[in-house]
Amino acid sequence: MPAETGPPGRGAVSAHDADRLLGRAARGDERAFELLYDVAAASVHGLARRVVRDAAMAEEVTQEVMIEVWRSAARYDPERGGAMAWIMTIAHRRAVDRVRREQAAGEREARAAGSGTGGAHAPAAADPVAERVEARLEHERVRRCLRTLTHLQRESVTLAYYGGHSYREVADLVGAPPNTVRTRMRDGIIRLRDCLGVER
């Protein structure tokens, strides 16, 4: 497995190439994973940096994501989206989880520091189990709605939303003209809003 100490440079690769490399990595091809790492890690790091807002933490998240990609490659299902969209979904989940863990740790420290004050009117602590269940249900709802989109719509929306990519960057990643991506993304977002019952 390649060792990286910082955010690597983005390689020039098509969506088909990423899919092919991930497929080979799923069969234990370490060289294919090294190439996929070089291609994907920069995008993963960029997303993590935007979410966690800390350079060192973003590097840690990047490493965690790429390790998960290597370990989970056999579970990748190309019928449900492209390789880059799958990787960026993992990256978004990992980054958000890291932020939540850091926030929870900070809240625990704050409660511990204030536990000796004996404030009778301290606000009730949030129920973490209920929050996790609610988040899980919402996540499943979004995933169900994403499955109603076409392949290109789903991949474009995922890369733009989770990856924070521009139309042109998404177009490069999926190998489609920017205008096509813009149209498919617009249509996909409309279908998602309808499926989720969001008011326009």
Side-chain angles (χ1 to χ4, degrees):
M1 190 176 297
E4 294 284 345
T5 57
R10 183 196 299 266
V13 69
S14 71
H16 175 73
D17 289 332
D19 294 348
R20 180 174 50 81
L21 289 172
L22 183 56
R24 286 169 51 193
R27 296 189 293 274
D29 187 332
E30 293 188 14
R31 177 56 182 160
F33 178 72
E34 289 175 2
L35 295 172
L36 181 64
Y37 189 108
D38 291 340
V39 167
S43 295
V44 170
H45 183 270
L47 181 150
R49 187 75 173 84
R50 287 190 293 273
V51 174
V52 303
R53 308 284 184 178
D54 179 271
M57 200 179 297
E59 290 182 14
E60 292 175 6
V61 170
T62 301
Q63 295 300 316
E64 291 173 3
V65 169
M66 297 312 298
I67 289 170
E68 183 174 348
V69 168
W70 171 247
R71 290 176 175 170
S72 306
R75 295 202 299 268
Y76 164 65
D77 180 1
E79 296 298 320
R80 299 179 64 179
M84 284 304 299
W86 182 74
I87 292 169
M88 297 307 285
T89 299
I90 293 173
H92 183 265
R93 186 184 67 242
R94 282 272 183 174
V96 170
D97 285 348
R98 175 60 68 92
V99 170
R100 287 174 176 163
R101 286 201 305 270
E102 292 296 318
Q103 288 175 341
E107 289 168 2
R108 283 195 301 272
E109 289 175 6
R111 284 197 299 271
S115 61
T117 62
H121 301 290
D127 183 346
V129 175
E131 288 180 354
R132 284 198 299 271
V133 170
E134 184 177 351
R136 177 70 178 176
L137 289 173
E138 182 62 23
H139 178 67
E140 289 299 328
R141 209 169 141 232
V142 172
R143 285 185 61 182
R144 186 172 64 252
C145 289
L146 279 171
R147 287 198 291 269
T148 68
L149 306 183
T150 67
H151 177 84
L152 182 56
Q153 285 174 342
R154 181 168 59 247
E155 190 166 15
S156 299
V157 169
T158 302
L159 286 169
Y161 177 72
Y162 291 116
H165 293 286
S166 67
Y167 286 118
R168 187 164 295 280
E169 289 170 336
V170 172
D172 289 341
L173 288 168
V174 303
N179 286 341
T180 300
V181 168
R182 188 187 302 269
T183 301
R184 297 295 183 274
M185 196 179 300
R186 182 200 62 208
D187 295 345
I189 290 171
I190 290 171
R191 289 179 66 176
L192 274 179
R193 282 191 305 204
D194 291 342
C195 179
L196 292 168
V198 176
E199 293 292 334
R200 296 187 188 182

